Amino acid sequence: MSAQEALVPALLHVTTPSMAVVESALDAGYDGVVIDLQHGEVGLDAACRMLRAIPRGNAYAFARVASIDFGAIGRLLDSGARGIVAPTVETAGQARAVVSATKYPPLGGRSLGPSRPALYGGEDYCAAGNAAVATVVQIESAAGVEAADEILGVDGVDSVYVGPADLAVSYGLPGRPDWTSGPVADAVVHLAERARAHGVTFGLYCSDPAFAAGQVLRAGLDYVGLGIDLMFIGRHARATVAALKGAS
């Protein structure tokens, strides 16, 4: 692995409501997590507790919300989330709504009332908070790819995160990640180019580390979502049981 690849932050998707899973992922070498309120069993209260298992200065304490809900997003940010991932953004209007929910005035409409004290340092708390929090639009449909310039051109959007499985489904393909050719692979390269043109960071979910390393070079990833906790458990459990039965 090159020095460039080694420096790309890796985030684990966490779908189980467990502070221990978050701590274990960071201890294992992950740079951050995506606490997933869209898929899995993590509710809002659990997500707010899980954020407290992450050191306050970690820039990759991300939470993916189920929808653009001002109340839920505000609570996650007040509990220490440093990035909000909004799923299936397909229009500039949706992107503006995410910015409004994640940024303090004058850029957005986030309410000031942190429950985790001293989240943001500096003379201007609101400006510091806006700089510290990443507003992440997730593009995971053909419609989102087509509207990429309008979405990424919205003031306050900091990053685009690609969901390849849903993107594949929108193209009439099987819902899986790690595409090396075809419309999904082409869309990833296109979105990476548009992200650079608009000055926002670019992330991609991958399931295979070797594929992710290749995408760092091909598409220029700034960070990578790499694996899901429940899938890790299932994979290791199957291998363990198969090894036992094979040895008996």
Side-chain angles (χ1 to χ4, degrees), residues 142-200:
V145 174
E146 292 174 5
D149 279 312
E150 291 81 2
I151 292 168
L152 301 183
V154 171
D155 190 17
V157 169
D158 299 300
S159 184
V160 55
Y161 185 52
V162 179
D166 281 318
L167 183 55
V169 170
S170 77
Y171 287 122
L173 298 169
R176 62 171 178 82
D178 302 352
W179 292 87
T180 57
S181 62
V184 177
D186 293 342
V188 168
V189 173
H190 171 71
L191 290 171
E193 292 172 349
R194 302 324 303 154
R196 286 191 290 272
H198 288 278
V200 303

Side-chain angles (χ1 to χ4, degrees), residues 11 14 20 27 94 107 117 121 129 133 141 153 155 159 161 166 168 173 178 185 216 224 231 233 242:
L11 286 65
V14 179
D27 182 68
Q94 290 172 331
L107 191 56
V133 169
S141 69
D155 190 17
S159 184
Y161 185 52
D166 281 318
L173 298 169
D178 302 352
V216 170
V224 58
M231 288 189 175
I233 293 170

Side-chain angles (χ1 to χ4, degrees), residues 67-78:
S67 63
I68 305 170
D69 181 325
F70 272 61
I73 290 172
R75 281 193 59 192
L76 291 165
L77 292 173
D78 288 348

Side-chain angles (χ1 to χ4, degrees), residues 7 15 32 46 52 62 78 91 96 113 152 162 169 175 180 182 209-210 212 232:
L7 290 174
T15 63
R52 286 164 171 76
F62 282 10
D78 288 348
T91 68
R96 283 191 289 270
L152 301 183
V162 179
V169 170
T180 57
F232 282 177

